[in-house]
Amino acid sequence: MAERLPQASRQRRGKAMTAAAGSAGRAAVPLLLCALLVPGGAYVLDDSDGLGREFDGIGAVSGGGPNFGASLHILKVEIGGDGQTTDGTEPSHMHYALDENYFRGYEWWLMKEAKKRNPNIILMGLPWSFPGWLGKGFNWPYVNLQLTAYYVMTWIVGAKHYHDLDIDYIGIWNERSFDINYIKVLRRMLNYQGLHRVKIIASDNLWEPISASMLLDTELLNVIDVIGAHYPGTRTVRDARLTKKKLWSSEDFSTLNNDVGAGCLGRILNQNYINGYMTATIAWNLVASYYEQLPYGRCGLMTAQEPWSGHYAVEPPIWVTAHTTQFTQPGWYYLKTVGHLEKGGSYVALTDGLGNLTIIVETMSHKHSRCIRPFLPYFNVSHQFATFLLKGSFSEIPELQVWYTRLGKPSKRFLFKQLDSLWLLDSGGAFTLELQEDELFTLTTLTTGGKGSCPPPPESQPFPQVYDDDFDVDYPFFSEAPNFADQTGVFEYFTNIEDPGEHRFTLRQVLNQRPITWAADAYNTISVIGDYKWSNLTVRCDVYIETPEKGGVFIAGRVNKGGILIRSARGVFFWIFANGTYKVTGDLAGWITYALGHVDVTAKRWYTLTLIIKGRFSSGTLNGKSVWKNIPVSFPKNGWAAIGTHSFEFAQFDNFHVEATS
């Protein structure tokens, strides 16, 4: 990089150049003391006139390991509500009115793992969907305000009682309507249970109408601690600022985790505060651990989507996050002197009030920092020199540690690299950075930063072409079977106490009514599994319909959609019904019928279904006997295997087998 400095500057700088990359083939990074007269902006960092807003942390939605990787300050988890919430369903702790189970799903485990790594990590809970019984027949969680508040309160109490987890913040309803009276009832319910320390964040949607509602209602203003907005584009609104409440970007990012996604994150982590006074930013999502062909594939800070191989990838957003998280903590304060650089980019500075200072400078270009949303107006970033002057209590700082990232071409790419420290003893508290586009610098008094490393992960492998699961797990660690991804409904390990034989341990669909939905859940339940690229495959499974007359189950192949698009999934679906009929359809909804007829099927008996798809034809058997054969299937060409039920009904599955030949 030094080669781009003017020749005269090289000759004049002498001993003023104090930082070097320290890696083979890398020239000295141009950090110059202000004794050099170079063109560019000058930026004062001063606490003489007081400090800015309190910093509340950087987090991710479902955390962190201090000074190793992302080192997150906040972990936000979904309060499972049995409904589809983007890439799958998460089970509720109360499927039914009299049901309570605080060991379903993975969020409890995730929170405990996060606490092991960072005991001070802040925990947040937010519902996306709610179990159907709360709606009393309506797709609405505010039918009985006390009941919904009780439901949320039990989740908080259960987290403490069963897992020793203290929930710090609780939300209302993700990206959906809020009810003013519900928020007040929730606060009273929490207080009644002695949960005064649990703070309320609202409304996890837009800045309005929650901000205006708070200004018009003193009680509402008093019970809400934080206003959280999603994907604010680094901007806030006047009403939100007038509330004098903490402002958070409580969901942001959700962008492919390549260098552009890293640039998006680097830009918003600074500019959410500079432009919008937001003191926390929470990325969706923490780890991309779901089938990549589901919506928003690889939109996590890192990728771990092959549990069968153990392969994972530590992506660039991890290290962009570390530039802030490793050198700040909640309770630090931003300086008032933060802002934009003259030729594009931005800088923030934070202090713990005890003499420590952290400065983060970013020069992310428009092209390489576009988030998936909202629209980003064009701006320009160009080569520049930026001189920083440390004033006030920072004027005597003798040394700053330097961490550096450059995104872009692999040959010029550096991720969270520690450079030589910068000595300021003879500089009058001034230094100059030479900045190119798509760079990130952290300059800090803290010496505790670290780029963690692990042994290389296992090699990436496709999903096994032959896969079996008999669900014979007596005491499962998780409630759901590995690799199955529930897209509507909830499929859980189940023990048939009255069946001592082959089907004592099964997988059961456990919802008997439609949840209060967040997305367009299907009207059938479905769980997908396997390799989306599969085309020719055989799926076999033992099935058990529990609902007489109206019940039905299916197995499927080449299922081509999931997540929020599940309702329109195509594929080849082989259904049997308790009324003695079967059907073959080309879609989950059942609009495209390939075949139908009668079979000897009733409820409360086990049957073995087999679906064979090869090329443009498919066939099916029941208990080994052909039911239909060589039905043409031209679309889709590939997709997952799946199991499911006709409606929200109890049904069981056992001895699942899939074999793919291509």
Side-chain angles (χ1 to χ4, degrees), residues 76 158 170 184 234 314 344 446 497 505 528 602 615 658:
K76 179 177 180 178
I170 200 74
K184 297 174 182 177
T234 77
V314 179
L446 297 183
I497 298 172
F505 299 108
V528 303
T602 185
V658 61

Side-chain angles (χ1 to χ4, degrees), residues 177-196:
S177 301
F178 63 88
D179 181 289
I180 290 173
N181 288 323
Y182 168 72
I183 298 173
K184 297 174 182 177
V185 167
L186 178 61
R187 179 72 270 168
R188 288 197 291 270
M189 179 78 71
L190 295 175
N191 291 350
Y192 181 75
Q193 292 293 327
L195 298 169
H196 300 82

Side-chain angles (χ1 to χ4, degrees), residues 341-645:
L341 298 171
E342 192 175 283
K343 294 188 177 181
S346 68
Y347 66 97
V348 295
L350 302 97
T351 181
D352 61 355
L354 302 173
N356 283 308
L357 175 69
T358 291
I359 306 158
I360 304 119
V361 181
E362 61 83 19
T363 57
M364 299 303 157
S365 64
H366 183 271
K367 180 180 180 181
H368 293 124
S369 73
R370 279 179 289 189
C371 306
I372 200 168
R373 65 175 81 87
F375 172 77
L376 181 63
Y378 183 76
F379 59 87
N380 188 57
V381 177
S382 58
H383 174 239
Q384 61 190 305
F385 293 90
T387 299
F388 293 88
L389 308 172
L390 304 187
K391 299 284 191 180
S393 69
F394 310 122
S395 61
E396 301 299 318
I397 288 175
E399 182 183 14
L400 291 173
Q401 308 298 313
V402 184
W403 292 82
Y404 174 72
T405 287
R406 180 168 186 175
L407 303 171
K409 294 179 181 177
S411 60
K412 297 182 178 180
R413 190 177 186 233
F414 294 89
L415 293 175
F416 198 57
K417 179 170 185 55
Q418 185 169 19
L419 308 182
D420 287 349
S421 60
L422 180 62
W423 286 91
L424 303 174
L425 286 173
D426 304 318
S427 71
F431 61 91
T432 297
L433 295 179
E434 183 189 13
L435 301 169
Q436 299 280 13
E437 64 180 28
D438 299 323
E439 291 183 330
L440 194 56
F441 281 94
T442 297
L443 303 105
T444 179
T445 55
L446 297 183
T447 58
T448 51
K451 185 173 183 178
S453 62
C454 295
E459 289 294 314
S460 175
Q461 299 284 345
F463 194 94
Q465 285 194 299
V466 179
Y467 184 81
D468 295 275
D469 197 336
D470 59 13
F471 311 114
D472 288 359
V473 184
D474 204 348
Y475 297 100
F477 188 79
F478 289 107
S479 57
E480 297 162 296
N483 301 313
F484 281 89
D486 301 351
Q487 300 301 309
T488 297
V490 174
F491 295 74
E492 295 180 350
Y493 284 117
F494 182 68
T495 303
N496 282 312
I497 298 172
E498 68 277 3
D499 186 340
E502 181 187 359
H503 300 295
R504 180 171 174 79
F505 299 108
T506 67
L507 191 69
R508 190 187 195 209
Q509 199 295 118
V510 296
L511 300 190
N512 60 358
Q513 62 177 310
R514 186 176 178 80
I516 297 170
T517 57
W518 180 81
D521 296 44
Y523 290 97
N524 332 83
T525 74
I526 178 172
S527 187
V528 303
I529 188 171
D531 190 328
Y532 190 81
K533 297 174 184 175
W534 282 347
S535 179
N536 297 334
L537 70 160
T538 298
V539 184
R540 184 176 68 242
C541 192
D542 298 343
V543 298
Y544 184 87
I545 303 168
E546 295 191 35
T547 307
E549 300 300 325
K550 295 182 179 180
V553 298
F554 71 82
I555 63 173
R558 292 188 185 173
V559 178
N560 73 338
K561 289 182 184 176
I564 51 179
L565 306 174
I566 188 60
R567 192 184 286 189
S568 59
R570 296 282 301 273
V572 182
F573 296 81
F574 179 17
W575 311 74
I576 59 170
F577 300 93
N579 64 5
T581 63
Y582 80 92
K583 187 161 66 167
V584 185
T585 67
D587 63 332
L588 177 62
W591 296 106
I592 303 166
T593 301
Y594 291 144
L596 49 82
H598 291 277
V599 283
D600 183 16
V601 168
T602 185
K604 310 281 188 181
R605 287 184 59 188
W606 282 97
Y607 301 93
T608 301
L609 293 183
T610 305
L611 170 65
I612 303 161
I613 309 173
K614 190 167 186 179
R616 296 185 297 109
F617 297 96
S618 63
S619 306
T621 70
L622 174 67
N623 291 342
K625 296 180 180 179
S626 177
V627 178
W628 50 280
K629 59 170 44 177
N630 295 332
I631 287 178
V633 287
S634 57
F635 181 86
K637 302 292 187 188
N638 55 277
W640 297 292
I643 57 175
T645 65

Side-chain angles (χ1 to χ4, degrees), residues 34-56:
C34 75
L36 301 179
L37 299 175
V38 293
Y43 311 95
V44 175
L45 301 176
D46 193 356
D47 61 352
S48 302
D49 190 33
L51 299 172
R53 293 190 175 216
E54 183 180 5
F55 175 68
D56 294 309

Side-chain angles (χ1 to χ4, degrees), residues 1 50 96 109 149 284 512:
M1 292 170 65
Y96 333 107
W109 168 83
W284 189 94
N512 60 358

